[in-house]
Amino acid sequence: MNKTAYYEALIRDIRSLTTDVDDAIANYANTAAAIWHSLPDINWAGFYFLKKDTLVLGPFQGKPACVLIEMGKGVCGTAAVRRETLIVDDVLSFPGHISCDADSRSEIVVPVIKNYTLQSLIDIDSPRKKRFDETDKKYLEDIATLLPEL
């Protein structure tokens, strides 16, 4: 399958898993699992929730991760401050990168914004440099719109 087909199937799966489920954490957990099991060449997929001025680890799939990330720190904290998707082709070249998994080489972080307020971030890592592109950005931003308000 090509990348577009992966994402179209993933979005159908997420909709089927989350429709009529009135629990935000369950929906985020199933979305993380669906991403993990659907996308090739990734080694971490999950969420960070904004609580006060700190990003806190949410549901995820992969190795244990950093629990707290300060706003403006690392790829996640930078995406949160900017409120825009960041694609990092080589995390080792990103100033201030926070290494939770030494195997990660590229990363995409997508803000989840509801009612003009940052709620959370989708964070996906890959052991392969330059894994993420504009197709990933487009579809992950579409997935962000499916997530419930916290």
Side-chain angles (χ1 to χ4, degrees), residues 87-104:
I87 297 172
V88 179
D89 290 336
D90 180 358
V91 295
L92 299 179
S93 68
F94 188 87
H97 169 67
I98 301 168
S99 179
C100 297
D101 180 352
D103 294 331
S104 293

Side-chain angles (χ1 to χ4, degrees), residues 55-72:
L55 297 168
V56 179
L57 182 65
F60 71 93
Q61 299 282 307
K63 291 180 182 178
C66 303
V67 175
L68 302 174
I69 298 175
E70 292 178 44
M71 294 292 283

